[in-house]
Amino acid sequence: MKIDRILEIIIYLLNHDTVSARVLAEHFRVTVRTIQRDMTSISLAGIPVCSAGGRRGGYSIIPEYKIKNINIGSDEQQMIMKALESLATSYTNDTLSSLIEKYNAVIEKNGGRKVFWDFSVTKENQKVQTVNQMLEEAVSQHRFVSFDYHNASGEKSSVQVEPLAIHYKWYAWYLFAYSKQKDEYRTFKVARMQNVHITSTVSLKKHGDVEKLMKDSECAYYKTCIRIEVHFDKEDAVLMQEYFPDCPVEHLEGAECRIFIDVPAKERLWKALLLSFGDKVYVTAPEEYRSELLETARKFVSKNTPVSC
């Protein structure tokens, strides 16, 4: 919409010095003539826009014109800004980029940085980011999506669901959706989704509070988790608290401690994490899970044992 573009142009000019019409046209994906008309509209709205000719000419807003935020302190502004910028290191989204541009325009940029965050290590690959954008579009349009899905056991299925939200947890992106065929709400790991397409089918179902539905679904899921009892030496308590901060450490007789960890039954990541501790931990229960870990370790060793000549 024109009004949205004009607002974004104003924000863009507040965050930059002189910008040429060509650069603005490329950035907002319109023609130079459209930018010129938009500048006329901005000037008529009372925004002090200046234009300069020549090789380094373009449009700018006079430095004296500045939007001030009087309700949020400078420290709070810095914290919000850095939180937004850090989120952008792990989440690709045009709306987020636009929000950062807008917030940059309404805060004071002095004071220096006191806190540094970088979530880029949590950013999944471009495929996941692209699928996330498709899912956001489908959610906004209330349209179904179809895709091929591989679950944690490697089983493949063709799925068609109504996306309701995407959310980030356990270091990965997930889709929360409604399956009309099964009349149930389900969660899918985005990285396991392939051949994702937005269908022409529009949903008319009213779902109510989606956040509550997600919480209810998560509670039901946690009831299917397995409680693992892990023992370790007292000297490794700090290490275990680092990896499992929500699991209280219990001190047993002598120098031994233990924790209880509730883990998803079929997620291999948790097995890999436990095995990564090597001889620092000892899984005591349940016996079935302990046996699975031993079998996984045995297979890994057998596959990676050098062949003697």
Side-chain angles (χ1 to χ4, degrees):
M1 294 176 63
K2 179 180 178 180
I3 187 64
D4 293 331
R5 184 178 66 251
I6 288 177
L7 175 60
E8 291 179 4
I9 290 174
I10 294 172
I11 297 299
Y12 190 88
L13 291 177
L14 285 169
N15 287 322
H16 297 79
D17 295 326
T18 302
V19 186
S20 69
R22 179 184 58 82
V23 170
L24 289 170
E26 291 177 354
H27 183 80
F28 293 102
R29 300 175 185 176
V30 294
T31 65
V32 170
R33 180 58 182 155
T34 297
I35 291 296
Q36 292 171 342
R37 288 196 296 265
D38 287 345
M39 289 302 167
T40 300
S41 298
I42 292 172
S43 296
L44 291 174
I47 308 297
V49 176
C50 298
S51 61
R55 184 178 177 183
R56 297 186 178 180
Y59 297 101
S60 63
I61 294 179
I62 62 174
E64 291 76 16
Y65 184 85
K66 188 175 180 66
I67 302 174
K68 290 187 178 293
N69 190 322
I70 62 174
N71 296 319
I72 303 178
S74 60
D75 287 345
E76 295 170 318
Q77 293 171 351
Q78 289 288 331
M79 186 64 73
I80 293 172
M81 190 66 246
K82 297 314 161 190
L84 291 172
E85 290 177 345
S86 299
L87 176 59
T89 66
S90 63
Y91 181 48
T92 301
N93 182 279
D94 290 341
T95 301
L96 177 59
S97 299
S98 176
L99 177 60
I100 292 174
E101 283 280 349
K102 293 175 181 178
Y103 201 78
N104 260 324
V106 300
I107 70 169
E108 298 289 348
K109 298 181 182 178
N110 55 17
R113 293 187 63 173
K114 303 179 181 66
V115 180
F116 293 81
W117 299 316
D118 185 354
F119 298 134
S120 57
V121 70
T122 67
K123 187 172 185 176
E124 297 197 64
N125 59 34
Q126 185 58 47
K127 171 183 172 292
V128 171
Q129 298 294 328
T130 300
V131 172
N132 276 349
Q133 292 176 358
M134 293 178 61
L135 295 175
E136 286 187 71
E137 180 181 348
V139 170
S140 64
Q141 298 176 0
H142 303 286
R143 290 170 60 184
F144 281 75
V145 296
S146 63
F147 54 88
D148 296 324
Y149 191 70
H150 290 77
N151 63 20
S153 301
E155 300 169 340
K156 181 179 179 180
S157 60
S158 296
V159 179
Q160 185 173 100
V161 294
E162 179 191 354
L164 299 179
I166 58 172
H167 56 127
Y168 187 82
K169 63 179 181 179
W170 299 328
Y171 303 101
W173 284 100
Y174 290 83
L175 166 67
F176 182 70
Y178 172 71
S179 172
K180 184 177 180 180
Q181 181 181 7
K182 297 186 177 182
D183 189 26
E184 65 180 14
Y185 295 96
R186 299 184 59 189
T187 299
F188 302 89
K189 193 172 185 178
V190 175
R192 295 177 183 157
M193 298 166 58
Q194 296 181 329
N195 304 318
V196 182
H197 297 286
I198 300 177
T199 73
S200 58
T201 306
V202 177
S203 173
L204 300 177
K205 183 178 176 62
K206 302 297 183 182
H207 297 279
D209 190 339
V210 173
E211 185 175 3
K212 183 178 183 303
L213 291 173
M214 290 172 59
K215 289 181 179 179
D216 291 344
S217 178
E218 187 170 9
C219 288
Y221 177 75
Y222 277 126
K223 291 180 180 179
T224 68
C225 288
I226 300 173
R227 170 153 288 198
I228 309 299
E229 182 177 349
V230 180
H231 288 221
F232 50 92
D233 290 338
K234 183 179 181 180
E235 62 183 21
D236 295 318
V238 173
L239 177 65
M240 300 305 291
Q241 287 177 322
E242 174 187 349
Y243 281 88
F244 307 103
D246 297 325
C247 302
V249 174
E250 298 181 13
H251 295 272
L252 305 177
E253 293 184 2
E256 194 174 64
C257 299
R258 73 176 177 182
I259 59 173
F260 291 93
I261 312 168
D262 293 318
V263 303
K266 297 182 180 181
E267 285 291 343
R268 289 176 290 182
L269 176 63
W270 290 96
K271 294 179 182 178
L273 178 59
L274 288 171
L275 288 172
S276 72
F277 289 108
D279 61 356
K280 292 184 179 296
V281 301
Y282 178 76
V283 177
T284 62
E287 180 59 35
E288 296 82 2
Y289 198 87
R290 183 178 179 307
S291 299
E292 286 182 22
L293 282 178
L294 291 173
E295 180 64 16
T296 300
R298 186 191 66 78
K299 290 181 178 179
F300 178 81
V301 172
S302 65
K303 287 284 186 179
N304 291 275
T305 301
V307 179
S308 58
C309 298

